[in-house]
Amino acid sequence: MIRNDIPVLISSERIQQRVDELGREIAATYKGTPVTIVGVLTGCLVFLADLIRRLDLPLRISLVQASSYRGAATTSGALRVQDDLLPDLRGREILLIDDILDSGQTLNYLVEHLKKLGTASVRVAVLLRKTGTQKVAFEPDFCGFNIPDEFVIGYGLDYNDEYRNLPFIGVLPQDAR
Ligand code: 5GP
Ligand code: MG
């Protein structure tokens, strides 16, 4: 069993409502143009699965993995991108999907990377954006919720690879760290 005392930041109902709205916003932006979703593993999975079922658009799905080395000595947030799962993206309209925008380094790097692959356009949808933590100027095209600077889990987001299956967004309790 998952511990049942995790403080809820965003309930499952609020998430579903907002994902509905995002789906409509995104569909209205692309107006029927075929889109290639690029999901950032692993945190994107639950959001991606819910969002794509609200997108009334012709679409393809692909995945990329980005891991950051953020040891005590690393302030630059060196990133490793594993993109062997990506198909040929030349000429495609890309919607990059991630769980959370924190410093902004991951998405900023990935957008630049995808642009170099000859894509027609790259837009970004994130479920969450932390306020006051961004280190690079980066504006997502679509954003579900702005949240305070807390470590959040659930709805795809993990702590040590656990808690991704919580149906809500919760705050990781101090004694679980
Ligand atoms: P950024 O490059 O924007 O600093 O980092 C984004 C990545 O950091 C996210 O994709 C996510 O993997 C991780 N991250 C940042 N904040 C949180 C958080 O509060 N909870 C979890 N589970 N992951 C986070
Ligand atoms: Mg991530």
Side-chain angles (χ1 to χ4, degrees), residues 13-14 22 60 88 95 104 113 115 118-119 132 152 154 156 159:
E13 291 74 20
R14 278 183 68 208
L22 285 175
R60 295 186 169 93
D88 183 357
L95 180 62
H113 184 74
K115 283 183 179 165
T119 52
V152 291
Y159 174 65

Side-chain angles (χ1 to χ4, degrees), residues 18 21-30 47 51 93-98 101 107-108 111-112 114-115 121-129 134 137-146:
R18 186 68 187 122
E21 292 170 3
L22 285 175
R24 285 194 292 271
E25 260 181 65
I26 293 169
T29 299
Y30 286 99
F47 178 42
L51 183 64
E93 313 280 342
I94 307 297
L95 180 62
L96 188 59
I97 295 191
D98 205 358
L101 176 67
L107 285 168
N108 193 52
V111 167
E112 294 311 312
L114 292 173
K115 283 183 179 165
S121 69
V122 182
R123 290 187 177 89
V124 173
V126 289
L127 179 70
L128 307 172
R129 168 168 51 184
Q134 279 171 43
F138 182 87
E139 267 307 303
D141 299 271
F142 309 97
C143 175
F145 301 94
N146 290 309

Side-chain angles (χ1 to χ4, degrees), residues 70 98-100 102-106 130 150-152 158:
R70 271 185 273 184
D98 205 358
D99 50 3
I100 186 166
D102 182 12
S103 73
Q105 277 158 344
T106 307
K130 281 192 190 173
E150 302 263 21
F151 193 87
V152 291
D158 73 306

Side-chain angles (χ1 to χ4, degrees), residues 30-88:
Y30 286 99
K31 300 185 183 76
T33 308
V35 170
T36 300
I37 303 278
V38 176
V40 185
L41 290 169
T42 303
C44 76
L45 288 178
V46 180
F47 178 42
L48 184 149
D50 277 350
L51 183 64
I52 57 172
R53 282 175 288 174
R54 269 94 157 190
L55 291 180
D56 183 11
L57 290 172
L59 62 83
R60 295 186 169 93
I61 299 166
S62 55
L63 297 164
V64 71
Q65 185 153 38
S67 4
S68 45
Y69 301 107
R70 271 185 273 184
T74 324
T75 45
S76 63
L79 263 188
R80 193 180 63 151
V81 171
Q82 204 183 318
D83 63 359
D84 359 326
L85 294 172
L86 289 181
D88 183 357

